[in-house]
Amino acid sequence: KGPKIPEVLSPQQVQKLFFALDPTHRLMAALLYGSGLRSAEMRRLRIKDLNMDRKTVSVYEGKNSKDRMVMLPDGLMDALQTHIQHIRILYDQDRRNGLPGVFMPHALAEKYKQASVSWDWFWLFPSHRISKDPRANVERRHHVCDSSLRKAIQLAKKKLNFSLKVSPHTFRHCFATHMLEGGKSIYQVQELMGHSDI
């Protein structure tokens, strides 16, 4: 079976879909579309990965363990600031309740013992539920799960009567296609997407 042609929405369809989503899922989808992130990369973002002054997002350990930097669209700044204020309440609540900190990659938990409870390392899109981390055998807050945005998109699609197949990954396809249609070089798009092969 050969490669499938990716489903791509028009910019107008993307906007319609955004406005059918609740604010948090809209922000998640807009980051996928505006920065070309993979869904897993977006879900694993930490507060420290955003640089509002430089308007960039740092992606660590993307596909094939590659790091890269992508753009942070101007149009998302206000929504991000509001979202960060809301999740700060969640972070403060976790600290008051004495919850273990967030999961830390590799040996960082040993090297920087307080990092897991620091604001900088908190998830940008934390789950609203506390769950058991099987790696450390503790109850802690993880990032949102893959099905969260997927379900929200399906509900929005149904509301709009969209017949096209849409998933979180569709926004990444739309990002690449709309960038190329807007005159960006295929090499620029390749770099932003984090693809090793053109």
Side-chain angles (χ1 to χ4, degrees):
K1 192 176 178 183
K4 290 183 282 187
I5 295 171
E7 197 80 72
V8 176
L9 307 175
S10 69
Q12 294 76 18
Q13 287 172 317
V14 169
Q15 289 300 320
K16 278 183 185 172
L17 201 50
F18 282 173
F19 287 108
L21 293 166
D22 64 80
T24 301
H25 288 117
R26 183 183 309 145
L27 181 58
M28 290 166 76
L31 258 178
L32 297 177
Y33 176 63
S35 301
L37 294 169
R38 293 177 178 93
S39 182
E41 292 169 343
M42 177 271 298
R43 287 183 283 112
R44 289 195 306 252
L45 287 175
R46 317 270 183 154
I47 296 296
K48 68 173 190 60
D49 299 334
L50 298 185
N51 187 323
M52 302 286 207
D53 295 328
R54 293 187 64 208
K55 296 177 185 168
T56 58
V57 181
S58 297
V59 179
Y60 297 100
E61 301 232 342
K63 198 171 182 180
N64 301 323
S65 297
K66 287 192 294 187
D67 299 345
R68 74 184 192 284
M69 196 173 284
V70 296
M71 58 196 170
L72 186 57
D74 277 337
L76 296 185
M77 293 301 182
D78 290 345
L80 273 168
Q81 295 283 14
T82 303
H83 175 73
I84 288 168
Q85 286 168 10
H86 287 151
I87 62 167
R88 180 69 201 218
I89 295 166
L90 207 55
Y91 166 81
D92 290 338
Q93 180 186 307
D94 286 358
R95 302 290 65 80
R96 280 194 305 273
N97 293 339
L99 271 186
V102 294
F103 168 74
M104 297 291 289
H106 308 305
L108 287 176
E110 284 302 310
K111 192 173 179 184
Y112 305 111
K113 298 212 182 274
Q114 293 304 306
S116 72
V117 291
S118 74
W119 169 241
D120 285 350
W121 280 89
F122 197 63
W123 304 113
L124 181 61
F125 296 105
S127 170
H128 285 281
R129 293 196 198 109
I130 306 300
S131 55
K132 191 167 190 175
D133 183 346
R135 292 161 294 203
N137 202 28
V138 293
E139 297 271 332
R140 61 163 43 125
R141 192 177 301 282
H142 203 50
H143 57 64
V144 290
C145 65
D146 179 49
S147 63
S148 173
L149 180 58
R150 197 173 291 279
K151 283 177 186 168
I153 288 169
Q154 293 316 306
L155 285 171
K157 198 181 106 164
K158 201 172 175 182
K159 201 191 297 181
L160 294 166
N161 245 347
F162 268 19
S163 56
L164 292 170
K165 189 179 173 188
V166 186
S167 72
H169 200 67
T170 305
F171 294 112
R172 184 168 152 86
H173 291 156
C174 293
F175 165 83
T177 305
H178 297 166
M179 289 280 278
L180 290 169
E181 287 173 349
K184 295 291 179 206
S185 132
I186 197 164
Y187 298 103
Q188 286 176 300
V189 176
Q190 177 193 7
E191 192 177 329
L192 290 168
M193 298 282 280
H195 284 165
S196 52
D197 192 311
I198 197 71

